[in-house]
Amino acid sequence: MIELLYLASAVAFIVGLKRLGSPKTARSGNRIAAVGMAVALVVALVDADIFNWTTVVAGLVVGTIIGVWGALRVQMTAMPQMVAVFNGLGGIASALVAAVAVLESDLSALPAQTTLTILLSTLIGAVTFTGSFVAFAKLQGLIGGNPIIFRGQQVLNASLLVVAIGAGVLVMADGNPDVYWVLGAVALIIGVMTVIPIGGADMPVVISLLNSFSGLAAASAGFVFENNALIIGGALVGAAGLILTIQMTRAMNRSLANVLFSGFGGGDAITGSGEMSTKPVKRATAEDAAIALGYADSVMVVPGYGLAVAQAQHATRKLATALEERGITVHYAIHPVAGRMPGHMNVLLAEADVPYEQLLDLEQADPQLPQTDVVLILGANDVVNPSARDDSSSPIYGMPIFNVDRAGTVIVVKRSLSPGFAGIDNPLFYNDNTLMYFADAKDALEQTLVALRDV
Amino acid sequence: MIELLYLASAVAFIVGLKRLGSPKTARSGNRIAAVGMAVALVVALVDADIFNWTTVVAGLVVGTIIGVWGALRVQMTAMPQMVAVFNGLGGIASALVAAVAVLESDLSALPAQTTLTILLSTLIGAVTFTGSFVAFAKLQGLIGGNPIIFRGQQVLNASLLVVAIGAGVLVMADGNPDVYWVLGAVALIIGVMTVIPIGGADMPVVISLLNSFSGLAAASAGFVFENNALIIGGALVGAAGLILTIQMTRAMNRSLANVLFSGFGGGDAITGSGEMSTKPVKRATAEDAAIALGYADSVMVVPGYGLAVAQAQHATRKLATALEERGITVHYAIHPVAGRMPGHMNVLLAEADVPYEQLLDLEQADPQLPQTDVVLILGANDVVNPSARDDSSSPIYGMPIFNVDRAGTVIVVKRSLSPGFAGIDNPLFYNDNTLMYFADAKDALEQTLVALRDV
Amino acid sequence: MSVLIVGITVFVLAAFVGFEVISKVPPTLHTPLMSGANAISGITVIAAVTAAGLGSTAVAEVLGFLAVVTATVNVVGGFLVTDRMLQMFRRPGAKDASKDPGAR
Amino acid sequence: MSVLIVGITVFVLAAFVGFEVISKVPPTLHTPLMSGANAISGITVIAAVTAAGLGSTAVAEVLGFLAVVTATVNVVGGFLVTDRMLQMFRRPGAKDASKDPGAR
Ligand SMILES: NC(=O)c1ccc[n+]([C@@H]2O[C@H](COP(=O)([O-])OP(=O)(O)OC[C@H]3O[C@@H](n4cnc5c(N)ncnc54)[C@H](OP(=O)(O)O)[C@@H]3O)[C@@H](O)[C@H]2O)c1
Ligand SMILES: NC(=O)c1ccc[n+]([C@@H]2O[C@H](COP(=O)([O-])OP(=O)(O)OC[C@H]3O[C@@H](n4cnc5c(N)ncnc54)[C@H](OP(=O)(O)O)[C@@H]3O)[C@@H](O)[C@H]2O)c1
């Protein structure tokens, strides 16, 4: 019976995952999976012979409170970070479980396979933990988004790995618990070391990969406790997470290896900022923007991460409406990786009730640009950076972009010349047909709206 | 170890199935699955403690000989029948296995679940057996393709089912072996009764469904012998077969229920043949055909089952080449269900090295027909039957067809006015712009080729 | 955990794999795929050899023998005939088929 | 059949399901899907409660407690945050997303 209920929850996970893959069913899918989880948990509480209930219940309560609190107060723009945190906690949970198993049992007495799986869930769990939190820190801006690379890094990582494996072998050999803790510690360090050299812009990919890891950690914990629900759930996430990761890298047209080992996604910020201030740009005021927009026939709005930061979606909608009342056609060019999470822009603009027909994706919008009079770039940078097209030495070279420089006039609204997430300079800003309007996107839009009245 | 090898072969099945789903990998997929099977069989021979080796080896040898012989001598056009036979044999094998288990063990002593799975694999296996052979007989033309429907059929089938279930319950209750044999016998009858009311044209769908059944039978046998390789393999085929069946019915745009219970696919042959000879048709000779074709600018060839019967693919190619030398553009309109198995026409024409670019599928060819001068129909009937479009009472109503009647001239090459697989009359033949050239497709083409010289 | 439960778990998972593994298949491949799957269902040959192996009575032995024969025919014939079908798809055939899903 | 073997079998099958179940997902759904999958990986909470339950030494009990807390955060927070994300996809958003795969 117990087992059948576990199986049922496993099925719920499968169905949930499948439904999560398509927009219409996604939400129900998430809920189905949640129900499956609830069932599994209840079964576990009934099945496992629990001595210290207080600990368990207390843990559940505390965890629930933290989880709910975290999930509800996080802003849309901070979601990826949040997922990173949750994922890291899941990872460490598996590691801790393994640790308890070590404390409670005599390692040298355990059958080899159990020891092995204990080591695996410790290793993978710990790596997931620290790795996820580094990813969080990078996304949150607690540490710079740029790849942190230093001399002898490879060597260090290699030796760390050797130590970890060595420790593992030792534990397998003479079940010495002390060595086990060494392994755990090293694993934590490995997690940090493998993520810091990866650029902030690639963190979502990293998180997705670590997510797959936490699945594997759970599965190994399943082997330790001989629980199929764990094995199934873990294996599911392990595999699904991997596929998803690969799909993500494809969306940024990169390979997984390239993401992990190329130190891309933070670009060469130093030289970037070096050039920046030097070259001259055409500055624009609200009035300039209003005139350019007011007398255009067609306007293409390119929203980016900055729009999210400024929470300027409603202001954008207002300005667009005003322009349309003047008989100007307005469209929005939504880049697949604009913002900080896929669909970021769709979510924001949907929130402001922007008509769905006006949202164009890469394939639709780019061809229209040459016939577009004015392109209004709101806090976007990398996704309109021509060096992805022209400069084969650029770290984002090959990433599909909006070729806005082919449009009539380009108005860029951002607060400064500072780079976007890829951390690289943007030649677009120095073009003759580019006007730089330095301001917070929201303020800029509101002032332009005012100025538009007198145009 | 044993188990791991079984698992490996199960994985081979999965990979094989997946690869079978895409043209480039299909062949390798089939071979991978075959290897998996070989492994599993060897493991079984090693693992199972076999008393009478002679029986086993003899069985394997005889089976192999028959299998090879059958597979090699069957013609392309008879493949579906062959699959039906193989499938039926697989089904009965599972049933026989269950029977042996009954003979060798005391039913009343067995645990309930074992008895249940024994009954299941008997029931499903036996139904698959007779059902498949009826399908074979219909495809082979041993019995008429038309649905065999008689008064009280439903009642009979219902009562048969009741008897079967009743017998099952009895066996479960007091493990009486005699009742078990009754169940087996009834199951055999059920297989016949459920398939005879289905029209010949739908047999491939039925076979596919029975294929899914034989998978389930194997899986239940797996439960009886507590063998996971069997369970996995069986469940795989059970599920995959079901999906495939549904996809097949979609290709004929029908629902599975409609296929199974509508008595479609043989149509109302009586009234069909009733009308037939009465109405007048325009007869054509080789010369007429040659003239019509020779002075056309564009010709669309619509091959059908008759082309396969006449093995006229090479003759077709020759005529097409002759026409092209006259500067006439020739295309082939390949209907998804033309012939007797999906891809039937592609296979035939590929055999005659017809240039791939000239093969158009439904979506491509149909829009071109109104601009086509001459449509040459070679042994096709149902796929060009306008009543699928016009006559909502027609059994094939709703099936997508080539609207050849919208082309300039239609030349139909077939031996008589007799109906196609759906067993219904074809209004097309009586249209004013339709020329009926009554002959074997191959002869017709060769004579037309000769006649073409003097045009 | 009882063998039955294991069996059920394995069955359910395998069924899911079966459902998912068959995505949109071009009609050209329906028959070969059916035929290949059918050959796989011949896995029952494993049970057949076991059954035939333990047959003690004459009847049981005959039935076991028949089981082995039929299952073997299914396996051998099934894979062979599938291979023959697929053999017919030269590049054009294959190309065409691979185009098919896009077309529908 | 040893528990280990069963585990491996189940693992392999589940992995296949995981691979197959994620077909082409529109980029708009990458983040929610990742988040949902992450919540599922919190299944380790089952092991956590078991571990916390059998903790005899103080250390073990503390670690067990932490395991339960972290796992629960992962589960509860994960599902909640996913739901919040998906909530943002009103019809337009959804429509757009469902269109996406076609576009690429
Ligand atoms: N969508 C995804 O799934 C995803 C995931 C991971 C990484 N990424 C990466 O993130 C980047 C997205 O490109 P993007 O063009 O959308 O953003 P971006 O390249 O990161 O540029 C955002 C720009 O917005 C400006 N900005 C910030 N706050 C602002 C405010 N309040 N008002 C106005 N402007 C503001 C910033 O310039 P100032 O500071 O000068 O204002 C910054 O240059 C790409 O590199 C992509 O690869 C995307
Ligand atoms: N492709 C599949 O997967 C599949 C599977 C199952 C069922 N079906 C069904 O099969 C049918 C296929 O349609 P179809 O138009 O291809 O074939 P059809 O409707 O069955 O008609 C075939 C025609 O070919 C003629 N014919 C037979 N031998 C001939 C010869 N030697 N020379 C010239 N003509 C000959 C026959 O007329 P005469 O006897 O007068 O010559 C017959 O009317 C559809 O109903 C379809 O649903 C197809």
Side-chain angles (χ1 to χ4, degrees):
Chain A
M1 191 52 203
I2 293 294
E3 290 297 337
L4 285 183
L5 284 171
Y6 275 146
L7 182 58
S9 61
V11 170
F13 295 157
I14 295 174
V15 175
L17 261 185
K18 179 154 187 66
R19 295 178 71 86
L20 268 168
S22 127
K24 287 176 196 50
T25 57
R27 204 167 176 195
S28 69
N30 183 51
R31 290 171 175 187
I32 292 171
V35 171
M37 184 63 71
V39 172
L41 182 54
V42 172
V43 174
L45 289 174
V46 174
D47 184 34
D49 37 6
I50 297 176
F51 303 135
N52 27 30
W53 273 96
T54 43
T55 324
V56 174
V57 174
L60 289 172
V61 172
V62 175
T64 310
I65 293 170
I66 301 179
V68 173
W69 173 78
L72 293 188
R73 62 164 287 293
V74 59
Q75 292 170 336
M76 255 327 222
T77 50
M79 292 266 176
Q81 291 92 301
M82 209 39 162
V83 176
V85 172
F86 291 153
N87 187 50
L89 294 179
I92 197 63
S94 300
L96 289 170
V97 166
V100 174
V102 171
L103 291 172
E104 290 298 317
S105 52
D106 166 9
L107 268 183
S108 49
L110 288 176
Q113 73 240 31
T114 314
T115 320
L116 180 62
T117 45
I118 287 183
L119 294 178
L120 280 177
S121 66
T122 312
L123 183 66
I124 306 174
V127 170
T128 308
F129 178 59
T130 47
S132 300
F133 274 82
V134 173
F136 163 78
K138 287 206 175 204
L139 281 175
Q140 195 69 353
L142 302 183
I143 61 178
N146 295 351
I148 300 174
I149 303 173
F150 52 83
R151 195 154 268 70
Q153 197 167 24
Q154 269 66 1
V155 186
L156 177 58
N157 293 353
S159 39
L160 281 170
L161 211 60
V162 173
V163 176
I165 295 170
V169 175
L170 266 181
V171 177
M172 294 292 294
D174 70 344
N176 176 340
D178 312 355
V179 185
Y180 167 84
W181 300 107
V182 176
L183 177 83
V186 175
L188 291 171
I189 305 174
I190 293 180
V192 177
M193 299 312 288
T194 40
V195 175
I196 52 169
I198 303 172
D202 285 328
M203 280 310 127
V205 179
V206 172
I207 297 171
S208 174
L209 185 63
L210 290 172
N211 175 23
S212 160
F213 278 18
S214 64
L216 295 179
S220 358
F223 277 96
V224 177
F225 287 83
E226 296 179 347
N227 178 319
N228 281 335
L230 264 160
I231 298 182
I232 296 177
L236 261 181
V237 176
L242 188 58
I243 296 291
L244 183 59
T245 311
I246 290 166
Q247 283 196 29
M248 279 186 163
T249 54
R250 291 233 183 90
M252 295 177 162
N253 87 343
R254 318 258 307 281
S255 79
L256 186 51
N258 170 283
V259 168
L260 295 182
F261 306 118
S262 72
F264 160 101
D268 187 0
I270 303 83
T271 65
S273 43
E275 301 166 19
M276 260 171 230
S277 42
T278 62
K279 283 184 263 149
V281 302
K282 289 212 186 109
R283 290 170 156 278
T285 66
E287 289 64 29
D288 306 329
I291 292 167
L293 291 167
Y295 293 114
D297 292 335
S298 58
V299 171
M300 182 79 72
V301 179
V302 182
Y305 175 61
L307 186 82
V309 178
Q311 286 296 310
Q313 56 272 34
H314 295 284
T316 310
R317 176 74 206 279
K318 282 208 198 67
L319 181 63
T321 322
L323 292 173
E324 284 165 336
E325 281 160 1
R326 287 167 153 264
I328 304 169
T329 57
V330 180
H331 284 101
Y332 300 79
I334 310 296
H335 193 283
V337 296
R340 286 297 176 271
M341 56 178 183
H344 202 160
M345 295 300 122
N346 307 70
V347 169
L348 279 175
L349 295 175
E351 202 182 322
D353 285 323
V354 171
Y356 158 65
E357 318 74 56
Q358 295 185 0
L359 305 183
L360 307 180
D361 61 26
L362 194 59
E363 289 77 3
Q364 298 167 310
D366 200 47
Q368 294 195 20
L369 288 170
Q371 295 87 41
T372 307
D373 300 332
V374 178
V375 171
L376 178 61
I377 300 178
L378 302 173
N381 190 339
D382 299 344
V383 300
V384 293
N385 189 333
S387 45
R389 176 189 69 212
D390 308 329
D391 170 7
S392 58
S393 73
S394 164
I396 64 169
Y397 182 71
M399 160 166 135
I401 58 156
F402 290 120
N403 300 292
V404 291
D405 49 353
R406 294 178 181 164
T409 310
V410 178
I411 305 176
V412 178
V413 179
K414 65 200 295 284
R415 298 162 309 179
S416 69
L417 275 176
S418 62
F421 215 168
I424 55 171
D425 191 18
N426 189 338
L428 175 76
F429 301 159
Y430 313 105
N431 286 353
D432 294 345
N433 66 339
T434 303
L435 296 174
M436 296 301 295
Y437 183 168
F438 293 117
D440 171 87
K442 194 170 178 188
D443 308 345
L445 288 164
E446 282 157 355
Q447 284 162 29
T448 310
L449 186 56
V450 176
L452 198 59
R453 301 224 178 78
D454 322 342
V455 173
Chain B
M1 191 51 203
I2 293 295
E3 289 297 337
L4 284 184
L5 284 171
Y6 274 146
L7 181 58
S9 62
V11 170
F13 294 157
I14 296 174
V15 175
L17 259 186
K18 180 156 188 65
R19 297 178 70 87
L20 268 168
S22 133
K24 289 180 192 47
T25 58
R27 203 166 178 194
S28 68
N30 182 52
R31 289 171 175 186
I32 292 171
V35 172
M37 185 63 72
V39 173
L41 181 55
V42 173
V43 174
L45 289 174
V46 175
D47 183 36
D49 37 8
I50 296 176
F51 303 135
N52 27 31
W53 274 97
T54 42
T55 324
V56 174
V57 174
L60 290 172
V61 173
V62 174
T64 309
I65 293 170
I66 300 178
V68 173
W69 174 77
L72 293 188
R73 63 164 286 292
V74 60
Q75 291 170 336
M76 255 305 167
T77 51
M79 290 272 177
Q81 291 90 301
M82 207 46 167
V83 176
V85 172
F86 291 153
N87 187 49
L89 294 178
I92 197 63
S94 300
L96 289 169
V97 167
V100 174
V102 171
L103 291 171
E104 290 299 317
S105 53
D106 167 10
L107 267 183
S108 49
L110 287 176
Q113 74 241 31
T114 313
T115 321
L116 180 62
T117 45
I118 287 183
L119 294 178
L120 279 179
S121 67
T122 312
L123 182 66
I124 306 174
V127 170
T128 308
F129 177 60
T130 46
S132 300
F133 274 83
V134 172
F136 162 78
K138 287 207 175 202
L139 281 176
Q140 195 69 356
L142 303 183
I143 61 178
N146 294 353
I148 300 172
I149 303 173
F150 53 82
R151 196 157 268 65
Q153 197 167 25
Q154 269 67 1
V155 186
L156 176 57
N157 293 354
S159 38
L160 280 170
L161 210 60
V162 174
V163 176
I165 295 171
V169 175
L170 266 180
V171 177
M172 293 293 293
D174 70 344
N176 176 340
D178 313 354
V179 186
Y180 167 84
W181 300 108
V182 176
L183 177 83
V186 176
L188 290 171
I189 304 172
I190 293 180
V192 177
M193 298 312 287
T194 42
V195 175
I196 52 170
I198 302 173
D202 286 328
M203 279 310 127
V205 178
V206 172
I207 297 172
S208 175
L209 185 63
L210 289 172
N211 175 22
S212 161
F213 278 19
S214 64
L216 295 179
S220 348
F223 277 96
V224 177
F225 287 83
E226 296 177 349
N227 178 317
N228 282 333
L230 263 160
I231 297 182
I232 297 178
L236 260 181
V237 176
L242 187 58
I243 296 291
L244 182 60
T245 311
I246 291 167
Q247 283 195 28
M248 279 186 162
T249 53
R250 291 235 182 90
M252 294 176 161
N253 88 342
R254 319 257 305 282
S255 79
L256 185 51
N258 169 285
V259 168
L260 295 181
F261 306 118
S262 73
F264 161 99
D268 186 359
I270 305 84
T271 65
S273 42
E275 301 166 19
M276 258 173 233
S277 42
T278 63
K279 283 187 261 142
V281 303
K282 289 215 185 102
R283 291 171 153 277
T285 65
E287 288 65 30
D288 306 328
I291 291 168
L293 292 166
Y295 293 113
D297 292 334
S298 58
V299 171
M300 183 78 72
V301 179
V302 181
Y305 175 62
L307 186 82
V309 178
Q311 286 296 310
Q313 57 269 35
H314 295 283
T316 310
R317 175 73 204 279
K318 280 207 199 68
L319 181 63
T321 322
L323 291 173
E324 283 164 339
E325 280 159 2
R326 288 164 152 264
I328 304 168
T329 57
V330 180
H331 284 102
Y332 300 79
I334 310 297
H335 193 283
V337 297
R340 285 298 176 270
M341 56 179 180
H344 202 158
M345 295 300 123
N346 308 67
V347 168
L348 279 174
L349 295 175
E351 200 182 324
D353 285 322
V354 170
Y356 157 67
E357 317 75 53
Q358 295 186 359
L359 305 183
L360 309 180
D361 62 26
L362 194 59
E363 290 76 3
Q364 297 166 311
D366 200 46
Q368 293 195 21
L369 288 169
Q371 295 87 39
T372 307
D373 299 334
V374 178
V375 170
L376 178 61
I377 300 178
L378 302 172
N381 189 338
D382 298 342
V383 299
V384 293
N385 189 333
S387 45
R389 177 189 68 213
D390 308 329
D391 170 7
S392 58
S393 74
S394 164
I396 65 168
Y397 182 69
M399 161 167 138
I401 57 155
F402 291 120
N403 300 292
V404 291
D405 49 354
R406 295 177 181 164
T409 310
V410 177
I411 304 175
V412 178
V413 178
K414 66 199 295 283
R415 298 163 309 180
S416 70
L417 275 176
S418 62
F421 214 168
I424 55 170
D425 192 18
N426 190 339
L428 174 75
F429 301 159
Y430 314 105
N431 285 354
D432 295 344
N433 66 340
T434 303
L435 297 174
M436 297 301 295
Y437 182 169
F438 293 117
D440 171 88
K442 192 169 178 190
D443 309 345
L445 288 164
E446 280 157 357
Q447 284 160 28
T448 310
L449 186 57
V450 175
L452 196 61
R453 300 225 180 76
D454 323 341
V455 174
Chain C
M1 190 172 47
S2 89
V3 186
L4 176 62
I5 295 294
V6 175
I8 294 176
T9 310
V10 169
F11 179 87
V12 171
L13 287 173
F16 268 106
V17 177
F19 279 125
E20 296 299 336
V21 89
I22 303 294
S23 46
K24 194 95 202 60
V25 180
T28 332
L29 281 179
H30 283 168
T31 310
L33 180 51
M34 169 171 80
S35 174
N38 165 44
I40 292 177
S41 72
I43 181 72
T44 190
V45 69
I46 291 180
V49 292
T50 324
L54 52 76
S56 58
T57 71
V59 191
E61 194 158 347
V62 173
L63 292 189
F65 173 76
L66 289 178
V68 177
V69 173
T70 48
T72 314
V73 174
N74 184 6
V75 170
V76 177
F79 283 119
L80 259 182
V81 88
T82 312
D83 195 62
R84 268 195 66 198
M85 288 186 203
L86 294 168
Q87 188 176 10
M88 301 297 279
F89 296 103
R90 320 245 186 85
R91 288 249 32 72
K95 268 218 238 77
D96 171 85
S98 61
K99 223 181 80 296
D100 244 348
R104 54 202 72 271
Chain D
M1 188 173 46
S2 89
V3 185
L4 176 63
I5 295 294
V6 175
I8 295 176
T9 311
V10 169
F11 180 89
V12 171
L13 287 174
F16 267 107
V17 177
F19 279 125
E20 295 300 337
V21 90
I22 304 293
S23 46
K24 193 99 203 58
V25 179
T28 333
L29 281 179
H30 284 169
T31 310
L33 180 51
M34 169 171 78
S35 175
N38 166 43
I40 293 177
S41 72
I43 182 71
T44 191
V45 68
I46 292 180
V49 292
T50 324
L54 52 77
S56 58
T57 71
V59 190
E61 192 156 349
V62 173
L63 293 188
F65 173 75
L66 290 179
V68 176
V69 173
T70 48
T72 313
V73 174
N74 183 9
V75 170
V76 176
F79 283 118
L80 259 183
V81 88
T82 311
D83 195 61
R84 268 195 67 199
M85 287 185 205
L86 294 169
Q87 189 176 8
M88 301 298 280
F89 296 104
R90 321 245 189 87
R91 288 249 33 73
K95 270 220 235 75
D96 172 85
S98 61
K99 226 182 82 293
D100 243 347
R104 53 201 74 270

